[in-house]
């Protein structure tokens, strides 16, 4: 079956075979590594925790004193969690509807205040004074165990 | 019938005893109104249709023609309904309109039954207005109640069809104030409405639909309408622009403007034509508000250039870091934390633009520095995210290459096995 003119006394086969085996083995190893690397990266948690989507843990019960507020991260936007003097949790978007500044809770006013142009919102997010043209989006707040979970309201 | 007449008589006596302005009670709405029988057929200005009068808030509350014009609308014949004995007053002279309306509207006890929160100081306010003062001097061309509120179809300000609804006020005022021929004797400009329509206030009100945005009456008052005046314009603007006014009060411009007799706010921002402020108002370019007073070589000129340069630097830094973060996000990289911080940089830029009203470079510099510090960090986060993207791309390329090598190796291996088998079978 050998092709005419092929010199079978030469030993090229073991070298070629080794080369092919090396190629195959190395390729398999590299492929396995390239498959495993993303899996390992997936298992190792990222430096910042984000539940993503429409729900986020805004803090833990006890983090906030009554009549105080704090900014939490809701995706790439800031949210404002307020623990009212009546010990109720309220969560609002912290982006002012006037020029997108970040609002804050004012414990002296018991209202939400924007430091850029003195815009004021009530604790339901309604714009009550200053330049803001629209209310702040308000979120649902649930306490699950010791976590304060904030959820975007479902639009009807 | 006799009983009904008796009832009406008792009620009228009761109202008179209580010192009421003598209006027909709300029940009068149910009674026939013979005035409209004829007047609905008349042409303007005597014509008042039933539909028109039905839209009037007074008619809806049970008042009738007689409430203002006297007479008795329940009587069938003109002689009876318009008899002087029945108190028929007929046409109300323009000069008497404010006092006529005030018979009820200045009576707090009477108005309480319709709207307890409605103000009852309109007439006293009107007396302080330019309109009221001129009317007192005998000028009947000035605005009286009915010019702004309309007549016979007066709607409350909350009704979008009302002439005094926030969206309609400017047009209502412009009916006289934009009429050059009508305003000629008063020697005042007539371009206020044209200017206002180009203003940021009009845009906020009419385009953005913010009904709290200013219209004529916000700055001039309504019943007491008068120009704010040079000395008080700052107080008027500061009702909304609180921080700017506070900063202006601490600025070197405060005393300088007073000394020069220049109004605050308006000198740089204009009055009716308040356009959206921009960074071009700083510096020394063609749109500069500074070069009106400051000339090359003085401190203000140098400060104007510094303000513009520093604000522009922060603006550029915010745009640059925003752009790289957006790019990283489009490539699917996780940059939400950096984008959150980026919002703080935009805050700093907005604050710096407000702080400009202190006209003190060290105060503006604080906001600029705060913003630049954040943008440096967020830009770096964007660079790292793009580096990570490149790393992942290279990784994908290498793994694809590795898979290709495996495929080639397998192919060669299979060929070798096949050729070995072939040899064996030969």
């Amino acid at each position: 079956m050998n092709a005419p003119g092929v010199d079978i006394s030469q030993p090229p086969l073991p070298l070629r075979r080794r080369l092919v085996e090396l190629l195959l083995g190395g390729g398999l190893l590299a492929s396995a590594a390239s498959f495993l690397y993303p899996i390992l990266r997936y298992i190792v948690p990222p430096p910042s925790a984000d539940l993503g989507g429409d729900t986020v843990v805004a803090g833990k019960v006890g983090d906030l004193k009554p009549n105080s507020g704090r900014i939490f991260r809701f995706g790439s936007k800031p949210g404002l969690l307020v623990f009212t003097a009546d010990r109720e949790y309220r969560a609002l978007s912290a982006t002012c509807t006037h020029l997108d500044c970040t609002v804050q809770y004012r414990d002296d006013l018991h209202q939400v205040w924007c430091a850029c142009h003195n815009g004021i919102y009530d604790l339901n997010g309604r714009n009550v004074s200053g330049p803001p043209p629209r209310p702040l989006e308000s979120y649902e707040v649930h306490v699950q165990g010791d976590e304060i979970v904030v959820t975007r309201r479902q639009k009807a | 019938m006799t009983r009904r007449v008796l009832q009406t008589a008792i009620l009228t006596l009761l109202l008179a005893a209580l010192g009421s302005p003598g209006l027909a009670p709300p029940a009068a709405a149910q009674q026939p109104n013979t005035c409209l029988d004829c007047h609905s057929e008349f042409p303007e200005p005597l014509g008042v249709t039933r539909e028109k009068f039905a839209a009037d808030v007074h008619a809806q509350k049970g008042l009738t023609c007689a409430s203002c014009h006297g007479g008795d609308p329940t009587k069938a014949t003109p002689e009876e309904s318009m008899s002087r004995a029945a108190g028929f007053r007929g046409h109300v002279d323009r000069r008497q309109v404010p006092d006529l309306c005030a018979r009820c509207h200045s009576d707090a006890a009477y108005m309480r039954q319709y709207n307890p929160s409605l103000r009852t100081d309109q007439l006293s306010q009107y007396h302080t207005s330019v309109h009221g003062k001129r009317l007192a001097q005998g000028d009947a061309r000035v605005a009286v109640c009915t010019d702004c509120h309309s007549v016979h179809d007066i709607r409350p300000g909350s009704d979008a069809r009302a002439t005094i609804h926030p969206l309609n006020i400017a047009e209502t005022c412009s009916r006289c104030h934009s009429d050059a021929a009508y305003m000629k004797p008063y020697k005042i400009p007539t371009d206020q409405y044209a200017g206002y329509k180009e203003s940021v206030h009009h845009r906020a009100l009419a385009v953005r639909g913010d009904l709290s945005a200013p219209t004529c009456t916000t700055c001039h008052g309504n019943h007491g309408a008068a120009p704010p005046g040079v000395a008080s314009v700052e107080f008027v603007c500061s009702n909304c622009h609180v921080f700017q006014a506070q900063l202006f009060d601490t600025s070197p411009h405060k005393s300088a403007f007073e000394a020069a007799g220049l109004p605050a706010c308006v000198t740089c921002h204009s009055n009716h034509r308040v356009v959206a402020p921009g960074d071009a108002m700083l510096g020394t370019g063609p749109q500069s508000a500074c070069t009106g007073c400051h000339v090359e070589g003085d401190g203000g000129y140098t400060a104007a250039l510094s303000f513009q340069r520093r604000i522009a630097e922060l603006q550029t830094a915010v745009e640059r870091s925003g752009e790289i973060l957006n790019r990283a996000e489009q490539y699917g990289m996780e940059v939400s934390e950096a984008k959150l911080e980026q919002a703080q940089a935009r805050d700093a830029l907005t604050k710096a633009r407000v702080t400009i009203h202190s006209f003190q470079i060290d105060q503006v510099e604080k906001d600029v520095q705060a913003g630049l510090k954040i943008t440096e960090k967020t830009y770096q986060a964007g660079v790292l995210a793009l580096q990570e993207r490149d790393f992942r791309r290279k990784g994908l390329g290498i793994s694809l290459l590795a898979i290709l090598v495996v495929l080639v190796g397998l192919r060669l291996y299979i060929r070798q096995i096949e050729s070995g088998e072939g040899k064996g079978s030969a």
Side-chain angles (χ1 to χ4, degrees):
Chain A
M1 279 300 283
N2 279 332
V6 173
D7 186 0
I8 53 164
S9 65
Q10 295 294 320
L13 269 179
L15 184 69
R16 261 175 62 186
R17 182 167 294 166
R18 269 192 19 229
L19 195 71
V20 168
E21 279 170 354
L22 203 71
L23 203 68
L24 195 59
L28 277 170
L29 209 67
S31 299
S34 70
F35 296 151
L36 283 174
Y37 178 75
I39 295 169
L40 284 173
R41 281 292 297 267
Y42 178 75
I43 292 167
V44 176
S48 60
D50 180 17
L51 298 181
D54 291 338
T55 297
V56 74
V57 175
K60 288 204 184 322
V61 173
D63 281 356
L64 282 174
K65 288 186 214 129
N67 192 29
S68 70
R70 65 180 279 185
I71 297 291
F72 63 92
R73 196 176 137 214
F74 205 158
S76 60
K77 302 260 183 199
L80 175 68
L81 180 71
V82 177
F83 191 35
T84 68
D86 301 331
R87 309 183 78 83
E88 258 183 59
Y89 285 106
R90 302 280 173 91
L92 303 164
S93 156
T95 305
C96 182
T97 56
H98 178 224
L99 287 178
D100 294 344
C101 287
T102 304
V103 298
Q104 52 191 283
Y105 178 69
R106 280 276 297 265
D107 56 5
D108 52 342
L109 301 174
H110 294 215
Q111 281 175 318
V112 177
W113 179 67
C114 179
C116 285
H117 293 95
N118 203 36
I120 292 177
Y121 302 86
D122 69 11
L123 291 179
N124 294 312
R126 277 191 301 249
N127 44 322
V128 289
S129 118
R134 285 184 308 281
L136 295 170
E137 188 184 351
S138 75
Y139 305 129
E140 280 176 28
V141 188
H142 299 286
V143 177
Q144 290 177 2
D146 67 339
E147 286 184 336
I148 301 161
V149 179
V150 172
T151 310
R152 213 178 291 276
R153 289 182 201 279
Q154 294 299 313
K155 284 189 183 114
Chain B
M1 186 66 195
T2 322
R3 199 172 150 197
R4 195 167 160 188
V5 169
L6 199 67
Q7 272 179 346
T8 312
I10 290 168
L11 203 62
T12 311
L13 277 171
L14 265 175
L15 283 172
L18 286 169
S20 144
L23 298 178
Q30 311 303 322
Q31 292 177 346
N33 187 336
T34 54
C35 308
L36 290 174
D37 292 344
C38 298
H39 282 269
S40 58
E41 303 298 325
F42 289 162
E44 290 280 357
L46 285 173
V48 183
T49 61
R50 286 188 190 280
E51 291 73 31
K52 187 178 183 181
F53 191 55
D56 193 299
V57 66
H58 301 98
Q60 288 163 6
K61 303 284 182 193
L63 305 189
T64 68
C65 310
S67 308
C68 298
H69 297 280
D72 185 351
T74 61
K75 293 288 187 294
T77 65
E79 290 74 25
E80 285 177 298
S81 60
M82 297 198 291
S83 84
R84 295 287 165 186
F88 182 67
R89 196 180 294 119
H91 172 70
V92 180
D93 186 80
R94 284 178 63 75
R95 293 176 187 83
Q96 293 163 356
V97 168
D99 286 328
L100 177 72
C101 298
R103 281 190 319 155
C104 299
H105 281 275
S106 292
D107 186 338
Y110 178 76
M111 291 307 293
R112 196 177 296 132
Q113 65 184 314
Y114 295 108
N115 185 350
S117 65
L118 200 68
R119 293 176 64 155
T120 49
D121 60 349
Q122 295 94 338
L123 183 66
S124 59
Q125 288 239 0
Y126 181 73
H127 288 321
T128 69
S129 74
V130 176
H131 298 139
K133 283 179 182 169
R134 284 194 169 272
L135 187 76
Q137 290 162 10
D139 181 359
R141 298 173 82 247
V142 293
V144 296
C145 315
T146 47
D147 292 308
C148 303
H149 290 271
S150 85
V151 59
H152 301 133
D153 59 348
I154 299 172
R155 299 171 200 266
S158 55
D159 188 324
R161 295 162 297 179
T163 48
I164 53 150
H165 184 269
L167 287 174
N168 304 332
I169 286 175
E171 200 189 331
T172 299
C173 299
S174 78
R175 288 208 305 257
C176 295
H177 282 276
S178 293
D179 186 336
Y182 196 78
M183 298 310 288
K184 203 174 175 187
Y186 305 107
K187 297 186 177 65
I188 57 171
T190 50
D191 63 347
Q192 300 95 330
Y193 185 51
Y196 173 72
K197 279 211 288 191
E198 288 174 28
S199 75
V200 67
H201 292 146
H202 177 263
R203 206 173 63 204
L205 181 69
V207 180
R208 210 169 62 187
D210 177 4
L211 296 187
S212 67
T215 180
C216 312
T217 50
T218 317
C219 303
H220 293 273
N222 44 19
H223 302 103
V230 170
S232 56
V233 71
E234 185 197 342
F235 302 129
V236 173
C237 300
S238 72
N239 282 316
C240 299
H241 302 280
V242 181
F243 288 163
Q244 289 86 340
Q246 281 173 359
L247 290 162
F248 181 83
D249 280 344
T250 65
S251 81
H253 279 156
K254 173 80 172 171
S255 53
F257 277 30
E258 276 172 4
L262 292 171
C265 315
V266 167
T267 302
C268 301
H269 292 278
S270 166
N271 47 12
H272 304 106
R273 201 182 298 267
V274 184
V275 291
D279 297 339
M281 286 178 71
L282 299 167
T284 55
Q287 291 176 52
S288 166
C290 311
T291 49
C293 299
H294 294 288
V295 289
E296 197 163 0
D298 74 20
Y301 193 90
T302 319
L305 283 171
S306 302
F307 289 139
Q308 191 183 39
R309 201 186 62 241
R310 293 303 280 159
I311 295 275
E313 272 173 35
L314 180 55
Q315 160 101 28
T316 311
V318 167
E319 281 172 3
R320 184 166 159 257
S321 57
E323 187 270 331
I324 199 166
L325 287 176
N326 282 341
R327 203 142 48 91
E329 196 176 40
Q330 276 168 8
Y331 282 116
M333 305 308 296
E334 217 295 302
V335 285
S336 58
E337 185 82 39
K339 287 200 100 177
L340 196 70
E341 282 187 60
Q342 176 72 3
Q344 305 290 323
R346 282 199 305 271
D347 279 16
L349 180 60
T350 307
K351 279 183 193 159
R353 284 171 173 151
V354 173
T355 313
I356 285 291
H357 296 90
S358 71
F359 301 101
Q360 288 170 27
I361 192 74
D362 54 332
Q363 285 201 40
V364 177
E365 192 60 23
K366 271 187 215 161
D367 291 325
V368 170
Q369 282 296 342
L372 286 175
K373 214 169 148 187
I374 299 166
T375 53
E376 206 176 302
K377 214 173 139 192
T378 52
Y379 182 77
Q380 209 49 42
V383 169
L384 285 174
L386 287 181
Q387 280 175 358
E388 172 78 11
R389 176 207 61 178
D390 291 343
F391 173 74
R392 289 183 186 198
R393 281 181 163 183
K394 280 177 197 154
L396 180 69
I398 289 167
S399 57
L400 284 176
L401 198 70
I403 292 165
L404 194 71
V405 167
V406 170
L407 289 175
V408 171
L410 273 173
R411 177 75 192 130
L412 290 173
Y413 199 68
I414 290 163
R415 266 179 64 183
Q416 265 187 6
I417 291 167
E418 278 177 354
S419 65
E421 277 176 356
K423 250 191 327 187
S425 66

